[in-house]
Amino acid sequence: MRTADMARLAGSAVTAHRLRSALTTLGIAIGIFAVVLLTSIGEGIHRFVMSEFTQFGTNIIGINPGKATTMGASIGIFGSVRPLSIDDAEALRRLPYVESVVTMVQGNAEIEFGRLQRRTTVYGVSPDFPQVFQFDVASGSFLPPDDPRNPRAVAVLGSKLANELFPKESPVGARIRVGGDRYRVVGVMEPKGTMLGFDLDDTIFVPASRGLDLFGREGLMEIDILYAENAPVDELVSGIKRLLIARHGGEDVTITTQQQMMDVLGSVLGVLTFAVGALGGISLLVGGVGIFSIMTISVSERTSEVGLLRALGASKGQILTLFLGEAILLAAAGGFAGLVVGWGGAWMINQLIPSMPVHTPLYFVFLAEFAAILIGLLAGVAPARRAAAMIPVEALRTE
Amino acid sequence: MIHLEKINRIFQVGDQQVRALNDVDLTIRSGEYLSIMGPSGSGKSTLLNILGLLDQPSSGTYQLDGRETTQIDDEQLARLRGRKIGFVFQFFHLIGRLSAAENIELPLILAEEAPAVRKPKVQEILHKVGLEDRAEHRPDQLSGGQRQRVAIARATITRPDVLLADEPTGNLDSVSGAEVIQLMETMNDSGLTVLVVTHDPIIGDRARRKIKMIDGAIVADTQERGDEDT
């Protein structure tokens, strides 16, 4: 049978029972709606989290003290962890492909200016910090390139802290106290916003070794390395590992490349999206059951029509195609309706709650419609086969 | 054109075997107009179904246009039905959601003819059965006689070799019934072989060749003036 004729015949059967077809279609529509909306939200969250993490750039390698593996044996003497020192950072700086090295220690301290006080997050960092984390200075300058072991007592304020402590005047050049010690403000950062709920603007930056003193820590919390765009990452990582093993006498650090982190994060979020999509898929399955039952009813109602078509020369294949086409038509129409509503719903959420991350990738749309058609096909196979297998004489006799 | 030899049709009903056709021999020539009459259960409908290739005999041979049909597969049977045989049923068997024209077009659609080829054929046959002004009406908007004329149009649009009518007037009043019979007779005059199965002796007697069946066997086969014996 010609495709156009097939579509017209199947279409006439669908439109002959408007309410019934509409309800059946609704089942699939709800399923597709759920899948599209849920995966849109999942994908939106995925993109949101990824962009939160990549705002610092992607060619960064993080080094943290301690080996992040679980071992069966007691850590004992092997477990001794040497602190990551500023000297380690200086040694890393000389490795090939390394462009900048940021030492990092973090804590809380009381900041005082005149009679104003504010407790805030203090980052003890090296002067490379803005370059590595794409964080710009708004006025003044960042920490000067002093001797990292004995830097001057200078500080750079986050934009929010600057506004709080210096509502009127410019803070650059002012004298403040950080945890009781006197510092001179040399600069103010650009606003950066928040990351996963942490306010990156309610902060103060001081030289790393002063940070260590301030918090009474022996070692750095993290060393971040910015490497050249075209660097061979594996080679670089093993170079870092060799250097630190030599300096520490054993492997006692964890090296994480930004790419690794992104990959892990991406796969976790991908699973999340898939899982919510699968939840929506359950309702799609229910819609498929609806098509199956309506097709079963339709086939028995039209037994004599099958007999007639067979008498007029229709082959079994043509009967099968006709009923399959009907099931697919129902499913495809439902899928399309669900897509429109689901996509529209995602768009509405975007408009009404801009902070809620929602994103519908185009391939999801095609995938969802394809899934609807596949479900229609599967739901239609058994009824259509039953219709095709009818004995013409008996089918004709049914009234 | 049609040649049946020792056709038997046995149905299994529960434990019992029912012999619906018993060694039936029948030859039908092209252009004949014949009726099959007989009481209920005499096997006339079974014979019609076998002639129409809707049913296969339990034994015997059936040659249609010189071709043996008892050995061929389902697909080929369907194609033969579509090409060579037209059916008219007591209950019309029109598809309610399609217009008269669409119902008539169905066999051509199943035969995968192109729309451009189909449309003029439908117009022509609508004209022939006098329903040009009813083409877009659905069956429930047509009278019984009109419905049966649509069914005859549908059965003959493929220019089949034989028109098989099973009680074509059984559901009609006498006026519409006579119209339907006249239409079939007109088609017979232009060369179509027509076979009518009926209870109604008035209808049956109009045929030039009359076959009487009882208990699955042909008991009488009479030819009218001019036609030679079988």
Side-chain angles (χ1 to χ4, degrees), chain A residues 28-38 284 334-335 337-339 341-343 345-346:
Chain A
I28 289 289
I30 289 173
I32 291 290
F33 166 76
V35 169
V36 169
L37 194 66
L38 287 173
L284 202 56
L339 267 184
V341 179
W343 210 350

Side-chain angles (χ1 to χ4, degrees), chain B residues 48-74:
Chain B
L48 192 82
N49 288 335
I50 284 174
L51 286 172
L53 300 171
L54 285 170
D55 196 9
Q56 288 276 293
S58 307
S59 66
T61 60
Y62 171 11
Q63 285 176 352
L64 177 62
D65 251 354
R67 183 173 178 188
E68 181 55 48
T69 63
T70 48
Q71 306 296 328
I72 61 180
D73 68 18
D74 200 80

Side-chain angles (χ1 to χ4, degrees), chain A residues 5 52 88 127 160 163 169 220 223 253 319 350 356 368 398:
Chain A
D5 290 327
E52 288 282 284
D88 288 337
K160 186 170 181 183
N163 286 336
E169 68 269 51
L220 298 163
I223 295 175
V253 295
I319 300 289
N350 233 334
M356 174 107 173
T398 315

Side-chain angles (χ1 to χ4, degrees), chain A residues 1 5 12 305 310 318, chain B residues 74 78 81 97 110 112 118:
Chain A
M1 213 182 313
D5 290 327
S12 76
E305 183 183 321
R310 298 282 279 133
Q318 284 178 320
Chain B
D74 200 80
R81 279 199 296 271
R97 58 176 191 277
L110 294 172
E112 301 188 350
R118 300 194 308 239

Side-chain angles (χ1 to χ4, degrees), chain B residues 2-225:
Chain B
I2 287 174
H3 186 68
L4 300 185
E5 219 174 293
K6 295 215 179 308
I7 291 288
N8 285 285
R9 183 68 175 102
I10 298 161
F11 292 108
Q12 191 78 34
V13 182
D15 293 341
Q16 281 194 313
Q17 288 196 330
V18 178
R19 190 172 279 258
L21 290 179
N22 197 353
D23 280 343
V24 171
D25 298 324
L26 180 64
T27 301
I28 301 170
R29 283 191 200 82
S30 190
E32 275 194 285
Y33 174 23
L34 64 161
S35 67
I36 301 180
M37 287 189 285
S40 294
S42 58
K44 53 190 195 306
S45 287
T46 307
L47 179 59
L48 192 82
N49 288 335
I50 284 174
L51 286 172
L53 300 171
L54 285 170
D55 196 9
Q56 288 276 293
S58 307
S59 66
T61 60
Y62 171 11
Q63 285 176 352
L64 177 62
D65 251 354
R67 183 173 178 188
E68 181 55 48
T69 63
T70 48
Q71 306 296 328
I72 61 180
D73 68 18
D74 200 80
E75 289 294 288
Q76 286 174 307
L77 280 177
R79 220 168 302 142
L80 271 182
R81 279 199 296 271
R83 257 202 345 260
K84 295 193 175 292
I85 293 161
F87 289 97
V88 174
F89 307 98
Q90 178 176 2
F91 297 103
F92 321 128
H93 272 294
L94 300 178
I95 295 179
R97 58 176 191 277
L98 301 179
S99 71
E102 287 170 328
N103 267 290
I104 293 170
E105 201 181 3
L106 265 179
L108 302 181
I109 289 175
L110 294 172
E112 301 188 350
E113 282 195 22
V117 179
R118 300 194 308 239
K119 297 297 171 194
K121 287 189 182 175
V122 172
Q123 282 311 312
E124 188 197 327
I125 202 107
L126 273 168
H127 174 73
K128 204 184 267 180
V129 300
L131 287 172
E132 284 153 306
D133 54 340
R134 292 281 183 273
E136 297 313 314
H137 287 58
R138 284 209 317 275
D140 56 6
Q141 298 164 316
L142 299 173
S143 72
Q146 287 171 335
R147 289 186 211 181
Q148 200 61 301
R149 269 148 56 198
V150 170
I152 290 169
R154 180 182 63 193
T156 53
I157 195 164
T158 53
R159 300 185 180 283
D161 294 342
V162 58
L163 181 68
L164 301 176
D166 191 1
E167 304 277 5
T169 59
N171 236 23
L172 299 176
D173 61 76
S174 57
V175 177
S176 333
E179 278 174 18
V180 162
I181 290 295
Q182 268 164 18
L183 179 61
M184 292 198 294
E185 284 170 357
T186 314
M187 291 181 160
N188 174 248
D189 289 342
S190 50
L192 177 68
T193 314
V194 174
L195 189 153
V196 181
V197 166
T198 182
H199 271 108
D200 187 342
I202 300 169
I203 305 282
D205 283 341
R206 292 176 68 117
R208 285 193 297 275
R209 179 177 172 195
K210 294 171 266 288
I211 291 171
K212 212 170 155 45
M213 287 187 72
I214 292 174
D215 293 338
I218 293 175
V219 293
D221 185 348
T222 52
Q223 291 274 351
E224 239 170 45
R225 50 181 161 71

